[in-house]
Amino acid sequence: MRLFLLCTLTMLMFASNSVLNRAALAGGGIEAMPFASIRLIAGALMLAALALVLRRGLRLGGTGRIGGVLGLFLYIYAFSVAYVSLDAGLGALILFGTVQVTMFVGSLIDGERPPARRWVGAMLAFAGLAWLLWPGPDATLSLLHGAAMVLAGVGWGIYSLAGRKARDPLMATAANFLLTVPLGLMLAALLPVAPDPMPATAIGVALAILCGAITSGLGYALWYHVLPQIAGTVAAVAQLTVPVIAMLGGMVFLGEALTLDFALAATLVLGGVALSVLRRR
């Protein structure tokens, strides 16, 4: 029960990340690259402070560090770039589809052999997600931003697989964030400056800090605590609940409408996830 509650709290934090991204970027409060950089720095500062207080120091090495840093870098920056011009539903489908493939393939290479019901449950859950998020006829796909979302999905899959080897979740997450900051700032410095850049508002910066320090920094540390205790394919399927939770958050905090299609599709997603992750008695 304790592990289930920790997984649920982690998925709530991931969904909060999505809601905060939408509120900041869609509301015009900040551009994608500054949002990603502030989010990353805020997470690094929060985790470093916690590590110094609770662990009396910082260790930047460790098993899975390269995968953790590379995955985090790809995810944070590619996700923010893709989110600017990609339909939200289509973007989530691309992201979570790529995460599923990356984590299932990585787990199979690592020797995991998931049971048939997990495959069936994963397919049912993703079918429900496709029903829930399928874009309307007016949606267009930018190949550049679609490719960025694929990179984000691969990055998150790599980051999650690396977390299964974490011995100290807090220290590992802090090291990942701290080592990713220079890479992110270097990327931001190398990118061309927009001819008419949009100034960041106080609300946009505040949302980026909240997203980085709390729902990303603490959320990812909690994820690294959970990952070594569950199979990689279970971790992959569990994340299919995130868009459902995020849409519920949009209904509560952003005034979006509750529909019958959402209720039916969400039931299919949650039923598929339950079939995949719950043990038979």
Side-chain angles (χ1 to χ4, degrees):
M1 177 59 72
R2 178 176 177 274
L3 183 58
F4 172 78
L5 293 175
L6 287 175
C7 285
T8 302
L9 178 58
T10 306
M11 296 306 111
L12 285 169
M13 285 194 167
F14 289 172
S16 299
N17 273 332
S18 177
V19 173
L20 291 171
N21 267 274
R22 288 166 58 194
L25 299 181
I30 192 170
E31 291 187 338
M33 294 301 290
F35 181 90
S37 296
I38 295 171
R39 175 186 180 188
L40 184 62
I41 293 169
L45 292 175
M46 170 66 83
L47 291 164
L50 288 175
L52 289 171
V53 171
L54 300 177
R55 301 292 190 269
R56 306 298 181 187
L58 287 168
R59 296 190 305 275
L60 299 183
T63 306
R65 187 64 58 247
I66 295 176
V69 172
L70 175 63
L72 183 62
F73 174 73
L74 281 177
Y75 169 70
I76 283 190
Y77 282 92
F79 179 81
S80 292
V81 169
Y83 211 96
V84 174
S85 299
L86 203 60
D87 176 83
L90 181 58
L93 275 180
I94 295 172
L95 175 69
F96 285 95
T98 307
V99 169
Q100 296 299 296
V101 171
T102 303
M103 293 193 67
F104 265 79
V105 169
S107 298
L108 292 173
I109 292 173
D110 203 35
E112 186 181 331
R113 295 296 177 263
R117 61 185 173 80
R118 190 165 301 152
W119 292 97
V120 173
M123 289 187 286
L124 285 175
F126 192 75
L129 204 61
W131 179 9
L132 183 64
L133 300 175
W134 198 261
D138 297 331
T140 58
L141 173 61
S142 162
L143 293 180
L144 175 63
H145 294 92
M149 192 61 87
V150 169
L151 281 177
V154 171
W156 184 252
I158 293 171
Y159 183 80
S160 297
L161 291 169
R164 303 196 67 235
K165 302 175 183 178
R167 295 182 179 179
D168 185 335
L170 174 60
M171 191 67 73
T173 312
N176 288 336
F177 270 75
L178 287 167
L179 292 172
T180 304
V181 166
L183 297 177
L185 295 180
M186 189 183 305
L187 174 66
L190 292 174
L191 289 177
V193 178
D196 187 19
M198 178 183 66
T201 65
I203 293 177
V205 172
L207 290 174
I209 293 172
L210 177 62
C211 182
I214 306 300
T215 58
S216 293
L218 299 185
Y220 293 4
L222 184 58
W223 186 227
Y224 264 36
H225 175 76
V226 169
L227 282 167
Q229 305 178 62
I230 59 177
T233 53
V234 170
V237 177
Q239 293 178 86
L240 293 175
T241 61
V242 172
V244 176
I245 300 170
M247 292 184 74
L248 281 172
M251 294 170 193
V252 174
F253 297 108
L254 303 179
E256 297 172 356
L258 172 65
T259 65
L260 178 61
D261 275 354
F262 171 82
L264 296 175
T267 301
L268 182 57
V269 172
L270 298 178
V273 171
L275 177 64
S276 292
V277 305
L278 297 181
R279 295 177 180 177
R280 293 180 62 184
R281 295 187 180 274

PDB file of all heavy atoms in Angstrom, residues 164-202:
ATOM      1  N   ARG A 164      16.436   3.319 -12.020  1.00  0.00           N
ATOM      2  CA  ARG A 164      16.281   2.003 -11.411  1.00  0.00           C
ATOM      3  C   ARG A 164      17.567   1.540 -10.735  1.00  0.00           C
ATOM      4  O   ARG A 164      17.559   0.605  -9.949  1.00  0.00           O
ATOM      5  CB  ARG A 164      15.827   0.987 -12.456  1.00  0.00           C
ATOM      6  CG  ARG A 164      14.517   1.385 -13.154  1.00  0.00           C
ATOM      7  CD  ARG A 164      13.878   0.235 -13.887  1.00  0.00           C
ATOM      8  NE  ARG A 164      13.428  -0.773 -12.944  1.00  0.00           N
ATOM      9  CZ  ARG A 164      13.795  -2.047 -12.996  1.00  0.00           C
ATOM     10  NH1 ARG A 164      14.631  -2.459 -13.931  1.00  0.00           N
ATOM     11  NH2 ARG A 164      13.340  -2.916 -12.113  1.00  0.00           N
ATOM     12  N   LYS A 165      18.681   2.218 -11.036  1.00  0.00           N
ATOM     13  CA  LYS A 165      19.974   1.856 -10.437  1.00  0.00           C
ATOM     14  C   LYS A 165      20.376   2.811  -9.313  1.00  0.00           C
ATOM     15  O   LYS A 165      21.472   2.690  -8.766  1.00  0.00           O
ATOM     16  CB  LYS A 165      21.054   1.856 -11.515  1.00  0.00           C
ATOM     17  CG  LYS A 165      20.762   0.908 -12.675  1.00  0.00           C
ATOM     18  CD  LYS A 165      21.803   1.045 -13.776  1.00  0.00           C
ATOM     19  CE  LYS A 165      21.467   0.157 -14.971  1.00  0.00           C
ATOM     20  NZ  LYS A 165      22.432   0.319 -16.075  1.00  0.00           N
ATOM     21  N   ALA A 166      19.504   3.748  -8.984  1.00  0.00           N
ATOM     22  CA  ALA A 166      19.857   4.758  -7.982  1.00  0.00           C
ATOM     23  C   ALA A 166      19.860   4.156  -6.581  1.00  0.00           C
ATOM     24  O   ALA A 166      18.863   3.564  -6.151  1.00  0.00           O
ATOM     25  CB  ALA A 166      18.880   5.922  -8.048  1.00  0.00           C
ATOM     26  N   ARG A 167      20.967   4.316  -5.861  1.00  0.00           N
ATOM     27  CA  ARG A 167      21.056   3.829  -4.484  1.00  0.00           C
ATOM     28  C   ARG A 167      20.595   4.891  -3.488  1.00  0.00           C
ATOM     29  O   ARG A 167      20.064   4.555  -2.431  1.00  0.00           O
ATOM     30  CB  ARG A 167      22.495   3.405  -4.186  1.00  0.00           C
ATOM     31  CG  ARG A 167      22.953   2.216  -5.029  1.00  0.00           C
ATOM     32  CD  ARG A 167      24.370   1.801  -4.667  1.00  0.00           C
ATOM     33  NE  ARG A 167      24.805   0.660  -5.453  1.00  0.00           N
ATOM     34  CZ  ARG A 167      26.012   0.096  -5.349  1.00  0.00           C
ATOM     35  NH1 ARG A 167      26.895   0.597  -4.487  1.00  0.00           N
ATOM     36  NH2 ARG A 167      26.336  -0.938  -6.112  1.00  0.00           N
ATOM     37  N   ASP A 168      20.837   6.145  -3.810  1.00  0.00           N
ATOM     38  CA  ASP A 168      20.387   7.260  -2.963  1.00  0.00           C
ATOM     39  C   ASP A 168      19.571   8.188  -3.870  1.00  0.00           C
ATOM     40  O   ASP A 168      20.133   9.002  -4.607  1.00  0.00           O
ATOM     41  CB  ASP A 168      21.583   7.996  -2.367  1.00  0.00           C
ATOM     42  CG  ASP A 168      21.170   9.089  -1.387  1.00  0.00           C
ATOM     43  OD1 ASP A 168      20.039   9.592  -1.499  1.00  0.00           O
ATOM     44  OD2 ASP A 168      21.972   9.428  -0.499  1.00  0.00           O
ATOM     45  N   PRO A 169      18.246   8.073  -3.849  1.00  0.00           N
ATOM     46  CA  PRO A 169      17.412   8.832  -4.795  1.00  0.00           C
ATOM     47  C   PRO A 169      17.637  10.332  -4.736  1.00  0.00           C
ATOM     48  O   PRO A 169      17.714  10.990  -5.774  1.00  0.00           O
ATOM     49  CB  PRO A 169      15.987   8.460  -4.386  1.00  0.00           C
ATOM     50  CG  PRO A 169      16.115   7.150  -3.695  1.00  0.00           C
ATOM     51  CD  PRO A 169      17.433   7.179  -3.009  1.00  0.00           C
ATOM     52  N   LEU A 170      17.729  10.890  -3.534  1.00  0.00           N
ATOM     53  CA  LEU A 170      17.914  12.335  -3.405  1.00  0.00           C
ATOM     54  C   LEU A 170      19.250  12.770  -3.986  1.00  0.00           C
ATOM     55  O   LEU A 170      19.316  13.735  -4.761  1.00  0.00           O
ATOM     56  CB  LEU A 170      17.822  12.754  -1.936  1.00  0.00           C
ATOM     57  CG  LEU A 170      18.127  14.221  -1.623  1.00  0.00           C
ATOM     58  CD1 LEU A 170      17.172  15.143  -2.355  1.00  0.00           C
ATOM     59  CD2 LEU A 170      18.087  14.470  -0.116  1.00  0.00           C
ATOM     60  N   MET A 171      20.324  12.078  -3.641  1.00  0.00           N
ATOM     61  CA  MET A 171      21.649  12.449  -4.127  1.00  0.00           C
ATOM     62  C   MET A 171      21.744  12.266  -5.640  1.00  0.00           C
ATOM     63  O   MET A 171      22.328  13.102  -6.343  1.00  0.00           O
ATOM     64  CB  MET A 171      22.716  11.616  -3.424  1.00  0.00           C
ATOM     65  CG  MET A 171      24.131  12.111  -3.655  1.00  0.00           C
ATOM     66  SD  MET A 171      24.433  13.721  -2.884  1.00  0.00           S
ATOM     67  CE  MET A 171      24.488  13.241  -1.153  1.00  0.00           C
ATOM     68  N   ALA A 172      21.170  11.178  -6.147  1.00  0.00           N
ATOM     69  CA  ALA A 172      21.217  10.922  -7.590  1.00  0.00           C
ATOM     70  C   ALA A 172      20.455  11.993  -8.361  1.00  0.00           C
ATOM     71  O   ALA A 172      20.927  12.498  -9.385  1.00  0.00           O
ATOM     72  CB  ALA A 172      20.644   9.540  -7.895  1.00  0.00           C
ATOM     73  N   THR A 173      19.284  12.375  -7.867  1.00  0.00           N
ATOM     74  CA  THR A 173      18.491  13.398  -8.552  1.00  0.00           C
ATOM     75  C   THR A 173      19.178  14.750  -8.483  1.00  0.00           C
ATOM     76  O   THR A 173      19.194  15.510  -9.463  1.00  0.00           O
ATOM     77  CB  THR A 173      17.088  13.484  -7.936  1.00  0.00           C
ATOM     78  OG1 THR A 173      16.539  12.178  -7.815  1.00  0.00           O
ATOM     79  CG2 THR A 173      16.163  14.316  -8.814  1.00  0.00           C
ATOM     80  N   ALA A 174      19.754  15.075  -7.320  1.00  0.00           N
ATOM     81  CA  ALA A 174      20.481  16.340  -7.188  1.00  0.00           C
ATOM     82  C   ALA A 174      21.654  16.392  -8.149  1.00  0.00           C
ATOM     83  O   ALA A 174      21.890  17.415  -8.814  1.00  0.00           O
ATOM     84  CB  ALA A 174      20.967  16.514  -5.747  1.00  0.00           C
ATOM     85  N   ALA A 175      22.403  15.297  -8.248  1.00  0.00           N
ATOM     86  CA  ALA A 175      23.547  15.253  -9.169  1.00  0.00           C
ATOM     87  C   ALA A 175      23.089  15.406 -10.613  1.00  0.00           C
ATOM     88  O   ALA A 175      23.709  16.132 -11.405  1.00  0.00           O
ATOM     89  CB  ALA A 175      24.309  13.943  -8.980  1.00  0.00           C
ATOM     90  N   ASN A 176      21.989  14.743 -10.982  1.00  0.00           N
ATOM     91  CA  ASN A 176      21.475  14.863 -12.347  1.00  0.00           C
ATOM     92  C   ASN A 176      21.134  16.314 -12.686  1.00  0.00           C
ATOM     93  O   ASN A 176      21.489  16.824 -13.757  1.00  0.00           O
ATOM     94  CB  ASN A 176      20.228  13.987 -12.524  1.00  0.00           C
ATOM     95  CG  ASN A 176      20.542  12.511 -12.569  1.00  0.00           C
ATOM     96  OD1 ASN A 176      21.663  12.114 -12.902  1.00  0.00           O
ATOM     97  ND2 ASN A 176      19.575  11.687 -12.243  1.00  0.00           N
ATOM     98  N   PHE A 177      20.431  16.978 -11.788  1.00  0.00           N
ATOM     99  CA  PHE A 177      20.040  18.366 -12.034  1.00  0.00           C
ATOM    100  C   PHE A 177      21.262  19.280 -12.091  1.00  0.00           C
ATOM    101  O   PHE A 177      21.386  20.125 -12.987  1.00  0.00           O
ATOM    102  CB  PHE A 177      19.068  18.836 -10.952  1.00  0.00           C
ATOM    103  CG  PHE A 177      17.625  18.600 -11.281  1.00  0.00           C
ATOM    104  CD1 PHE A 177      17.084  17.327 -11.201  1.00  0.00           C
ATOM    105  CD2 PHE A 177      16.797  19.636 -11.668  1.00  0.00           C
ATOM    106  CE1 PHE A 177      15.750  17.087 -11.498  1.00  0.00           C
ATOM    107  CE2 PHE A 177      15.461  19.419 -11.969  1.00  0.00           C
ATOM    108  CZ  PHE A 177      14.936  18.134 -11.887  1.00  0.00           C
ATOM    109  N   LEU A 178      22.171  19.132 -11.126  1.00  0.00           N
ATOM    110  CA  LEU A 178      23.341  20.018 -11.075  1.00  0.00           C
ATOM    111  C   LEU A 178      24.219  19.859 -12.316  1.00  0.00           C
ATOM    112  O   LEU A 178      24.746  20.851 -12.851  1.00  0.00           O
ATOM    113  CB  LEU A 178      24.152  19.722  -9.816  1.00  0.00           C
ATOM    114  CG  LEU A 178      23.525  20.216  -8.503  1.00  0.00           C
ATOM    115  CD1 LEU A 178      24.243  19.594  -7.309  1.00  0.00           C
ATOM    116  CD2 LEU A 178      23.568  21.737  -8.426  1.00  0.00           C
ATOM    117  N   LEU A 179      24.401  18.638 -12.799  1.00  0.00           N
ATOM    118  CA  LEU A 179      25.244  18.410 -13.970  1.00  0.00           C
ATOM    119  C   LEU A 179      24.542  18.800 -15.265  1.00  0.00           C
ATOM    120  O   LEU A 179      25.200  19.058 -16.277  1.00  0.00           O
ATOM    121  CB  LEU A 179      25.671  16.940 -14.029  1.00  0.00           C
ATOM    122  CG  LEU A 179      26.635  16.495 -12.923  1.00  0.00           C
ATOM    123  CD1 LEU A 179      26.838  14.985 -12.963  1.00  0.00           C
ATOM    124  CD2 LEU A 179      27.973  17.214 -13.053  1.00  0.00           C
ATOM    125  N   THR A 180      23.220  18.844 -15.244  1.00  0.00           N
ATOM    126  CA  THR A 180      22.474  19.224 -16.446  1.00  0.00           C
ATOM    127  C   THR A 180      22.422  20.736 -16.617  1.00  0.00           C
ATOM    128  O   THR A 180      22.297  21.234 -17.747  1.00  0.00           O
ATOM    129  CB  THR A 180      21.043  18.648 -16.385  1.00  0.00           C
ATOM    130  OG1 THR A 180      21.118  17.232 -16.203  1.00  0.00           O
ATOM    131  CG2 THR A 180      20.276  18.924 -17.674  1.00  0.00           C
ATOM    132  N   VAL A 181      22.521  21.491 -15.523  1.00  0.00           N
ATOM    133  CA  VAL A 181      22.436  22.956 -15.606  1.00  0.00           C
ATOM    134  C   VAL A 181      23.448  23.542 -16.592  1.00  0.00           C
ATOM    135  O   VAL A 181      23.066  24.350 -17.462  1.00  0.00           O
ATOM    136  CB  VAL A 181      22.581  23.598 -14.213  1.00  0.00           C
ATOM    137  CG1 VAL A 181      22.826  25.101 -14.329  1.00  0.00           C
ATOM    138  CG2 VAL A 181      21.334  23.349 -13.385  1.00  0.00           C
ATOM    139  N   PRO A 182      24.753  23.204 -16.527  1.00  0.00           N
ATOM    140  CA  PRO A 182      25.694  23.788 -17.498  1.00  0.00           C
ATOM    141  C   PRO A 182      25.349  23.441 -18.941  1.00  0.00           C
ATOM    142  O   PRO A 182      25.504  24.277 -19.834  1.00  0.00           O
ATOM    143  CB  PRO A 182      27.046  23.182 -17.096  1.00  0.00           C
ATOM    144  CG  PRO A 182      26.873  22.729 -15.702  1.00  0.00           C
ATOM    145  CD  PRO A 182      25.443  22.356 -15.548  1.00  0.00           C
ATOM    146  N   LEU A 183      24.876  22.222 -19.174  1.00  0.00           N
ATOM    147  CA  LEU A 183      24.485  21.827 -20.540  1.00  0.00           C
ATOM    148  C   LEU A 183      23.311  22.677 -21.017  1.00  0.00           C
ATOM    149  O   LEU A 183      23.288  23.128 -22.172  1.00  0.00           O
ATOM    150  CB  LEU A 183      24.110  20.346 -20.567  1.00  0.00           C
ATOM    151  CG  LEU A 183      25.211  19.347 -20.231  1.00  0.00           C
ATOM    152  CD1 LEU A 183      24.645  17.922 -20.234  1.00  0.00           C
ATOM    153  CD2 LEU A 183      26.350  19.456 -21.240  1.00  0.00           C
ATOM    154  N   GLY A 184      22.344  22.896 -20.137  1.00  0.00           N
ATOM    155  CA  GLY A 184      21.188  23.691 -20.518  1.00  0.00           C
ATOM    156  C   GLY A 184      21.540  25.136 -20.790  1.00  0.00           C
ATOM    157  O   GLY A 184      21.058  25.735 -21.770  1.00  0.00           O
ATOM    158  N   LEU A 185      22.384  25.720 -19.943  1.00  0.00           N
ATOM    159  CA  LEU A 185      22.776  27.114 -20.157  1.00  0.00           C
ATOM    160  C   LEU A 185      23.610  27.262 -21.433  1.00  0.00           C
ATOM    161  O   LEU A 185      23.501  28.263 -22.142  1.00  0.00           O
ATOM    162  CB  LEU A 185      23.565  27.616 -18.946  1.00  0.00           C
ATOM    163  CG  LEU A 185      22.766  27.690 -17.638  1.00  0.00           C
ATOM    164  CD1 LEU A 185      23.646  28.189 -16.505  1.00  0.00           C
ATOM    165  CD2 LEU A 185      21.531  28.574 -17.790  1.00  0.00           C
ATOM    166  N   MET A 186      24.420  26.253 -21.737  1.00  0.00           N
ATOM    167  CA  MET A 186      25.203  26.285 -22.967  1.00  0.00           C
ATOM    168  C   MET A 186      24.289  26.232 -24.189  1.00  0.00           C
ATOM    169  O   MET A 186      24.474  26.972 -25.154  1.00  0.00           O
ATOM    170  CB  MET A 186      26.175  25.101 -22.995  1.00  0.00           C
ATOM    171  CG  MET A 186      27.197  25.147 -24.122  1.00  0.00           C
ATOM    172  SD  MET A 186      28.249  23.665 -24.106  1.00  0.00           S
ATOM    173  CE  MET A 186      28.862  23.719 -22.414  1.00  0.00           C
ATOM    174  N   LEU A 187      23.268  25.370 -24.124  1.00  0.00           N
ATOM    175  CA  LEU A 187      22.312  25.285 -25.229  1.00  0.00           C
ATOM    176  C   LEU A 187      21.590  26.614 -25.405  1.00  0.00           C
ATOM    177  O   LEU A 187      21.435  27.106 -26.537  1.00  0.00           O
ATOM    178  CB  LEU A 187      21.307  24.172 -24.955  1.00  0.00           C
ATOM    179  CG  LEU A 187      20.160  24.048 -25.964  1.00  0.00           C
ATOM    180  CD1 LEU A 187      20.682  23.625 -27.336  1.00  0.00           C
ATOM    181  CD2 LEU A 187      19.103  23.056 -25.474  1.00  0.00           C
ATOM    182  N   ALA A 188      21.136  27.204 -24.313  1.00  0.00           N
ATOM    183  CA  ALA A 188      20.416  28.480 -24.394  1.00  0.00           C
ATOM    184  C   ALA A 188      21.297  29.577 -24.979  1.00  0.00           C
ATOM    185  O   ALA A 188      20.821  30.442 -25.726  1.00  0.00           O
ATOM    186  CB  ALA A 188      19.921  28.881 -23.002  1.00  0.00           C
ATOM    187  N   ALA A 189      22.600  29.543 -24.664  1.00  0.00           N
ATOM    188  CA  ALA A 189      23.511  30.568 -25.178  1.00  0.00           C
ATOM    189  C   ALA A 189      23.792  30.387 -26.662  1.00  0.00           C
ATOM    190  O   ALA A 189      24.013  31.365 -27.388  1.00  0.00           O
ATOM    191  CB  ALA A 189      24.827  30.529 -24.395  1.00  0.00           C
ATOM    192  N   LEU A 190      23.764  29.143 -27.148  1.00  0.00           N
ATOM    193  CA  LEU A 190      24.088  28.866 -28.546  1.00  0.00           C
ATOM    194  C   LEU A 190      22.908  29.102 -29.488  1.00  0.00           C
ATOM    195  O   LEU A 190      23.105  29.332 -30.685  1.00  0.00           O
ATOM    196  CB  LEU A 190      24.570  27.416 -28.705  1.00  0.00           C
ATOM    197  CG  LEU A 190      25.925  27.092 -28.066  1.00  0.00           C
ATOM    198  CD1 LEU A 190      26.212  25.596 -28.181  1.00  0.00           C
ATOM    199  CD2 LEU A 190      27.037  27.895 -28.716  1.00  0.00           C
ATOM    200  N   LEU A 191      21.700  29.052 -28.964  1.00  0.00           N
ATOM    201  CA  LEU A 191      20.533  29.234 -29.821  1.00  0.00           C
ATOM    202  C   LEU A 191      20.416  30.689 -30.263  1.00  0.00           C
ATOM    203  O   LEU A 191      20.717  31.599 -29.495  1.00  0.00           O
ATOM    204  CB  LEU A 191      19.257  28.812 -29.079  1.00  0.00           C
ATOM    205  CG  LEU A 191      19.081  27.316 -28.829  1.00  0.00           C
ATOM    206  CD1 LEU A 191      17.830  27.062 -28.027  1.00  0.00           C
ATOM    207  CD2 LEU A 191      19.020  26.540 -30.158  1.00  0.00           C
ATOM    208  N   PRO A 192      19.939  30.908 -31.495  1.00  0.00           N
ATOM    209  CA  PRO A 192      19.777  32.296 -31.963  1.00  0.00           C
ATOM    210  C   PRO A 192      18.706  33.025 -31.178  1.00  0.00           C
ATOM    211  O   PRO A 192      17.722  32.434 -30.736  1.00  0.00           O
ATOM    212  CB  PRO A 192      19.364  32.119 -33.434  1.00  0.00           C
ATOM    213  CG  PRO A 192      18.805  30.736 -33.521  1.00  0.00           C
ATOM    214  CD  PRO A 192      19.573  29.921 -32.515  1.00  0.00           C
ATOM    215  N   VAL A 193      18.913  34.325 -30.999  1.00  0.00           N
ATOM    216  CA  VAL A 193      17.961  35.152 -30.263  1.00  0.00           C
ATOM    217  C   VAL A 193      16.803  35.528 -31.183  1.00  0.00           C
ATOM    218  O   VAL A 193      17.010  35.904 -32.334  1.00  0.00           O
ATOM    219  CB  VAL A 193      18.648  36.429 -29.735  1.00  0.00           C
ATOM    220  CG1 VAL A 193      17.649  37.310 -29.000  1.00  0.00           C
ATOM    221  CG2 VAL A 193      19.812  36.057 -28.823  1.00  0.00           C
ATOM    222  N   ALA A 194      15.587  35.399 -30.684  1.00  0.00           N
ATOM    223  CA  ALA A 194      14.414  35.760 -31.474  1.00  0.00           C
ATOM    224  C   ALA A 194      14.431  37.248 -31.786  1.00  0.00           C
ATOM    225  O   ALA A 194      14.862  38.060 -30.956  1.00  0.00           O
ATOM    226  CB  ALA A 194      13.139  35.393 -30.715  1.00  0.00           C
ATOM    227  N   PRO A 195      13.958  37.642 -33.000  1.00  0.00           N
ATOM    228  CA  PRO A 195      13.978  39.063 -33.354  1.00  0.00           C
ATOM    229  C   PRO A 195      13.106  39.927 -32.453  1.00  0.00           C
ATOM    230  O   PRO A 195      13.376  41.096 -32.243  1.00  0.00           O
ATOM    231  CB  PRO A 195      13.460  39.067 -34.804  1.00  0.00           C
ATOM    232  CG  PRO A 195      12.747  37.752 -34.969  1.00  0.00           C
ATOM    233  CD  PRO A 195      13.442  36.795 -34.077  1.00  0.00           C
ATOM    234  N   ASP A 196      12.037  39.337 -31.930  1.00  0.00           N
ATOM    235  CA  ASP A 196      11.141  40.097 -31.045  1.00  0.00           C
ATOM    236  C   ASP A 196      10.837  39.245 -29.814  1.00  0.00           C
ATOM    237  O   ASP A 196       9.733  38.717 -29.665  1.00  0.00           O
ATOM    238  CB  ASP A 196       9.854  40.452 -31.797  1.00  0.00           C
ATOM    239  CG  ASP A 196       8.963  41.383 -30.991  1.00  0.00           C
ATOM    240  OD1 ASP A 196       9.482  42.026 -30.060  1.00  0.00           O
ATOM    241  OD2 ASP A 196       7.753  41.446 -31.289  1.00  0.00           O
ATOM    242  N   PRO A 197      11.815  39.052 -28.914  1.00  0.00           N
ATOM    243  CA  PRO A 197      11.611  38.161 -27.765  1.00  0.00           C
ATOM    244  C   PRO A 197      10.538  38.690 -26.824  1.00  0.00           C
ATOM    245  O   PRO A 197      10.402  39.889 -26.619  1.00  0.00           O
ATOM    246  CB  PRO A 197      12.987  38.139 -27.089  1.00  0.00           C
ATOM    247  CG  PRO A 197      13.627  39.422 -27.508  1.00  0.00           C
ATOM    248  CD  PRO A 197      13.124  39.708 -28.894  1.00  0.00           C
ATOM    249  N   MET A 198       9.774  37.755 -26.265  1.00  0.00           N
ATOM    250  CA  MET A 198       8.714  38.119 -25.330  1.00  0.00           C
ATOM    251  C   MET A 198       9.304  38.192 -23.923  1.00  0.00           C
ATOM    252  O   MET A 198       9.920  37.232 -23.452  1.00  0.00           O
ATOM    253  CB  MET A 198       7.608  37.066 -25.373  1.00  0.00           C
ATOM    254  CG  MET A 198       6.460  37.322 -24.406  1.00  0.00           C
ATOM    255  SD  MET A 198       5.240  35.993 -24.459  1.00  0.00           S
ATOM    256  CE  MET A 198       6.192  34.623 -23.802  1.00  0.00           C
ATOM    257  N   PRO A 199       9.149  39.308 -23.243  1.00  0.00           N
ATOM    258  CA  PRO A 199       9.690  39.409 -21.876  1.00  0.00           C
ATOM    259  C   PRO A 199       8.932  38.490 -20.924  1.00  0.00           C
ATOM    260  O   PRO A 199       7.719  38.309 -21.040  1.00  0.00           O
ATOM    261  CB  PRO A 199       9.466  40.880 -21.521  1.00  0.00           C
ATOM    262  CG  PRO A 199       8.338  41.320 -22.400  1.00  0.00           C
ATOM    263  CD  PRO A 199       8.461  40.537 -23.673  1.00  0.00           C
ATOM    264  N   ALA A 200       9.662  37.902 -20.014  1.00  0.00           N
ATOM    265  CA  ALA A 200       9.048  37.018 -19.027  1.00  0.00           C
ATOM    266  C   ALA A 200       8.312  37.837 -17.978  1.00  0.00           C
ATOM    267  O   ALA A 200       8.805  38.868 -17.522  1.00  0.00           O
ATOM    268  CB  ALA A 200      10.115  36.149 -18.371  1.00  0.00           C
ATOM    269  N   THR A 201       7.138  37.393 -17.604  1.00  0.00           N
ATOM    270  CA  THR A 201       6.371  38.054 -16.558  1.00  0.00           C
ATOM    271  C   THR A 201       6.699  37.417 -15.208  1.00  0.00           C
ATOM    272  O   THR A 201       7.264  36.323 -15.126  1.00  0.00           O
ATOM    273  CB  THR A 201       4.870  37.920 -16.820  1.00  0.00           C
ATOM    274  OG1 THR A 201       4.498  36.530 -16.729  1.00  0.00           O
ATOM    275  CG2 THR A 201       4.513  38.443 -18.215  1.00  0.00           C
ATOM    276  N   ALA A 202       6.337  38.103 -14.151  1.00  0.00           N
ATOM    277  CA  ALA A 202       6.576  37.579 -12.805  1.00  0.00           C
ATOM    278  C   ALA A 202       5.839  36.264 -12.599  1.00  0.00           C
ATOM    279  O   ALA A 202       6.365  35.332 -11.961  1.00  0.00           O
ATOM    280  CB  ALA A 202       6.137  38.605 -11.764  1.00  0.00           C
TER     281      ALA A 202
END
